Amino acid sequence: MKLCIFLLLFLLWGCSRRETVPYDNRRSLALLDACEAIIADDNTAAMAALQQMEIISGQDDFSTETQLAISRRQDFDKAEELLRQRDYQGLRLFLAQCKASGRVGAELDGFEPLPDALEQLELFRSRMPWERSSVLKDALEELEPHVATLSASPAFVAFHQEQLATLKRLEVKEAAERAQGFLARMERAQVAGAVRDYEEARQEFRADQPDHRFFQMEGTLLKGGLPTVKNGEETTFAVALVANWAKLKGGLRAQAISTLKPIMVHAGICGIVANALQFGALEDYEALFLAARDVKCGVSGALVRQYMGKLNLSDKPARLTPWPGIYETVELISKQIDTQNNQEQQ
């Protein structure tokens, strides 16, 4: 028994004399430093701590993956900074370098189409404001390949919709301007009796705007109906009425003139012509001649002859004489007008 107790005491004494091997916690400390640096968004300190981990423990999968993730985040920050500086060429070169190094990750996937898209957008904006729809339409077509990329921004989506609305407004405005030009040509041709000029203008008008109110009004009149005339459509109605006067029945002519009477001041020269054709008053023809003179518009010989027919001239001969009077003089002038109009059309 005494011997056993002695041996136990000897063993315990020997154990108390053996030195304890210290625990190597350097990797844990480096890992802690790396995590704190990542949380603080200090990429430089995080990379240093992760590299220290590799020095301590050799190949370390966690360190390798984390360094790659940090490198990619640094690449993202660099690309974002180049975008803020509008250095699109610098961004192209940087992305090419990243691709060549093999470190391109999902973080940079969306950057590659941005330089071209943003450059095109800046070019688009530099051409504003838009004065012609054709220019805006061309610019929108050039921008179209980049719309999908740029539409990631709600601000661009709103901007793009605004440009499309502007295009529509310009197209409507320009169509109205062209229509006014066609109607002016047709009006002058009707007053001057230039049939060929009228038909050419009408055909061009129809090819450009087949659904214009002029053609709707004309169709209604030819079917025996009376079209509604809205504000701004007075001249359109007057031109359609005079152009088709000979094809209309007397009752419809009277109804058309009744419609035209309250808006005559806005109906242009064709409104005066229609009034003269309906009532045949001398003052209507004289008003027509004065209005035509003011806008330098020729008057057809037929209208002049109709005017002369309304005059009560005592020296009106049954045939032309060697000594022409007032009536004969006007008759000759009206024929000269018709001849001149025909020559101009040829």
Side-chain angles (χ1 to χ4, degrees):
M1 177 63 70
K2 291 182 179 180
L3 179 60
C4 290
I5 293 173
F6 175 77
L7 289 174
L8 179 59
L9 291 173
F10 178 78
L11 290 173
L12 291 173
W13 177 79
C15 289
S16 65
R17 297 281 296 177
R18 186 179 301 152
E19 295 183 0
T20 303
V21 178
Y23 173 69
D24 189 354
N25 62 349
R26 290 178 300 163
R27 183 185 182 283
S28 298
L29 293 174
L31 176 59
L32 181 60
D33 291 341
C35 292
E36 290 177 347
I38 291 171
I39 293 172
D41 204 21
D42 186 347
N43 292 328
T44 302
M47 293 292 280
L50 292 168
Q51 290 168 2
Q52 182 64 26
M53 286 177 61
E54 290 185 340
I55 293 173
I56 294 169
S57 58
Q59 182 65 32
D60 191 301
D61 291 341
F62 173 80
S63 174
T64 300
E65 292 298 327
T66 306
Q67 286 185 71
L68 180 60
I70 292 174
S71 294
R72 288 177 173 174
R73 189 171 72 175
Q74 288 176 320
D75 290 342
F76 178 89
D77 292 341
K78 175 67 174 177
E80 208 172 39
E81 180 62 25
L82 290 169
L83 277 181
R84 279 195 292 269
Q85 295 173 359
R86 296 183 178 179
D87 184 0
Y88 304 128
Q89 184 57 25
L91 178 57
R92 289 189 187 94
L93 293 173
F94 176 70
L95 293 174
Q97 292 171 359
C98 290
K99 185 177 292 186
S101 68
R103 67 174 187 271
V104 176
E107 295 82 1
L108 295 180
D109 283 349
F111 280 92
E112 190 167 1
L114 283 179
D116 291 344
L118 292 173
E119 275 187 343
Q120 191 62 50
L121 178 59
E122 287 195 1
L123 176 61
F124 182 94
R125 291 175 62 89
S126 71
R127 299 165 71 180
M128 297 172 67
W130 310 104
E131 296 182 357
R132 303 299 301 174
S133 64
S134 57
V135 178
L136 174 53
K137 187 175 182 180
D138 289 344
L140 284 169
E141 288 178 356
E142 292 171 0
L143 187 64
E144 182 60 29
H146 309 289
V147 168
T149 297
L150 296 169
S151 292
S153 166
F156 171 78
V157 173
F159 172 79
H160 189 241
Q161 290 300 316
E162 181 182 339
Q163 302 313 303
L164 292 175
T166 298
L167 176 62
K168 184 63 177 177
R169 286 195 299 271
L170 286 174
E171 288 177 338
V172 170
K173 175 176 176 289
E174 290 166 11
E177 290 172 352
R178 292 195 306 276
Q180 288 302 314
F182 288 126
L183 286 168
R185 287 172 56 192
M186 292 160 64
E187 180 182 51
R188 295 177 74 89
Q190 277 295 316
V191 176
V195 178
R196 180 178 174 182
D197 289 347
Y198 174 83
E199 287 300 327
E200 286 181 354
R202 185 182 180 280
Q203 289 175 10
E204 291 176 22
F205 191 12
R206 183 146 206 158
D208 185 71
Q209 299 177 49
D211 297 326
H212 192 272
R213 281 286 292 160
F214 171 83
F215 300 105
Q216 296 175 9
M217 288 182 172
E218 187 176 57
T220 300
L221 287 169
L222 293 175
K223 290 177 182 178
L226 189 64
T228 302
V229 183
K230 300 178 182 177
N231 289 339
E233 296 180 343
E234 297 88 352
T235 299
T236 303
F237 175 66
V239 175
L241 178 60
V242 171
N244 296 280
W245 185 264
K247 303 174 185 176
L248 306 181
K249 295 181 179 179
L252 183 57
R253 290 178 183 176
Q255 292 177 8
I257 292 299
S258 297
T259 299
L260 196 59
K261 202 73 173 176
I263 57 176
M264 185 68 69
V265 67
H266 304 296
I269 300 179
C270 275
I272 303 175
V273 171
N275 204 56
L277 291 174
Q278 178 66 11
F279 298 109
L282 292 177
E283 56 267 28
D284 290 332
Y285 282 97
E286 290 163 1
L288 166 61
F289 299 148
L290 289 173
R293 181 200 63 186
D294 290 342
V295 297
K296 296 184 172 65
C297 177
V299 178
S300 71
L303 288 172
V304 174
R305 285 192 294 274
Q306 289 174 27
Y307 171 66
M308 291 304 303
K310 304 296 180 180
L311 294 175
N312 184 18
L313 299 174
S314 59
D315 63 341
K316 179 178 178 181
R319 59 182 178 82
L320 295 180
T321 67
W323 306 100
I326 296 175
Y327 181 83
E328 292 170 307
T329 301
V330 175
E331 182 74 13
L332 289 171
I333 292 174
S334 66
K335 289 182 178 180
Q336 290 174 358
I337 292 172
D338 289 336
T339 301
Q340 182 180 357
N341 287 335
N342 290 331
Q343 289 175 349
E344 289 176 354
Q345 291 183 60
Q346 294 174 358

